[in-house]
């Protein structure tokens, strides 16, 4: 869920996510071996599947999170995890990318799969490698929510100012009408 208005949402990365996902699926092809995502049990060519990459995550979720992770190409996995852990003190994650962060977090099942994987990290797909960096961070979901709050705080304050001015005007109109109906004359 995002706090973006519908018009901004339509023109944001969220609105374009479906088209990007379809393009990525076509680009990666049947085996999707670039990201270590199996083509499923359907009839894809078996020789195209890269057996050197561990397939410990759900292929559909891994594909979606891979696409989401591309919004953070300017970060390495350790630096992105550290930025999240430190609550982004240098405000490196801005704009709609802050709203995108919750979609990158691993589910409890994904965390368990990563923890039980005994092989080399180099055998993990990029999403699993990123999850490996996130797992040691305590209260990751809370930190991401805090980053979202910090990123939208000024906008929310301005919205409250506008709303409070509107309600103040309404209150004064009602007060004036109520007092004048009771026979009082107001001088303002």
């Amino acid at each position: 869920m995002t706090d973006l208005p519908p018009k901004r949402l339509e023109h944001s990365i969220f609105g374009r996510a479906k088209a990007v996902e379809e393009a990525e699926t076509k680009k990666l092809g049947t085996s999707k071996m670039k990201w270590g995502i199996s083509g499923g049990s359907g009839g894809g060519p078996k020789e195209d599947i890269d057996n050197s990459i561990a397939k410990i995550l759900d292929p559909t979720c891994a594909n979606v999170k891979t696409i989401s992770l591309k919004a953070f190409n300017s970060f390495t996995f350790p630096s992105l995890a550290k930025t999240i852990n430190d609550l982004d003190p240098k405000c490196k994650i801005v704009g709609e990318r802050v709203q995108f962060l919750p979609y990158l977090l691993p589910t409890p099942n994904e965390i368990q799969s990563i923890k039980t994987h005994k092989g080399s990290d180099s055998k993990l797909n990029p999403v699993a490698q990123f999850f490996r960096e996130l797992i040691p961070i305590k209260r990751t979901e809370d930190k991401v929510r805090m980053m979202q709050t910090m990123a939208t705080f000024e906008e929310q304050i301005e919205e409250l100012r506008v709303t409070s001015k509107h309600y103040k005007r309404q209150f004064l109109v009602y007060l004036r009408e109520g007092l004048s109906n009771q026979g009082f004359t107001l001088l303002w």
Side-chain angles (χ1 to χ4, degrees):
M1 215 52 183
T2 178
D3 294 343
L4 291 175
K7 191 124 182 130
R8 280 186 65 195
L9 178 64
E10 183 178 303
H11 297 290
S12 74
I13 196 165
F14 298 111
R16 298 184 305 260
K18 184 159 180 82
V20 170
E21 182 178 356
E22 289 171 3
E24 285 297 318
T25 302
K26 287 179 186 175
K27 187 170 110 180
L28 295 176
T30 305
S31 71
K32 302 177 185 131
M33 70 181 190
K34 179 179 179 184
W35 301 105
I37 303 167
S38 69
S41 59
K46 300 296 182 202
E47 63 274 8
D48 286 345
I49 297 175
D50 186 356
N51 290 327
S52 67
I53 297 180
K55 293 163 183 67
I56 58 175
L57 301 176
D58 174 57
T60 305
C61 292
N63 192 23
V64 170
K65 289 185 181 189
T66 297
I67 293 167
S68 301
L69 200 53
K70 286 184 178 185
F72 299 91
N73 276 340
S74 59
F75 292 90
T76 63
F77 296 146
S79 70
L80 181 56
K82 182 175 178 6
T83 301
I84 291 170
N85 188 43
D86 296 342
L87 297 174
D88 194 15
K90 296 180 182 175
C91 297
K92 294 178 184 177
I93 303 173
V94 294
E96 57 192 27
R97 293 194 316 171
V98 174
Q99 301 299 327
F100 223 46
L101 280 174
Y103 301 107
L104 290 177
L105 299 179
T107 65
N109 289 341
E110 290 169 335
I111 291 172
Q112 191 60 38
S113 296
I114 299 296
K115 285 182 176 180
T116 58
H117 176 70
K118 300 297 181 203
S120 167
D121 283 359
S122 64
K123 300 258 184 203
L124 296 173
N125 65 31
V127 174
Q129 290 175 8
F130 175 62
F131 288 172
R132 181 79 88 180
E133 297 291 334
L134 280 181
I135 288 172
I137 297 174
K138 304 279 191 238
R139 299 182 318 275
T140 309
E141 295 87 4
D142 295 335
K143 290 181 180 186
V144 167
R145 264 185 294 198
M146 180 60 72
M147 289 172 61
Q148 287 179 315
T149 301
M150 291 181 339
T152 60
F153 185 74
E154 291 297 323
E155 185 178 312
Q156 291 173 352
I157 291 297
E158 186 57 36
E159 189 176 305
L160 284 172
R161 282 187 186 125
V162 170
T163 304
S164 69
K165 285 180 185 178
H166 172 73
Y167 286 129
K168 182 179 178 182
R169 278 189 226 117
Q170 273 187 320
F171 174 73
L172 291 175
V173 168
Y174 292 141
L175 181 64
R176 180 180 295 156
E177 288 175 4
L179 291 175
S180 64
N181 287 342
Q182 293 180 7
F184 292 98
T185 304
L186 300 176
L187 302 173
W188 31 296

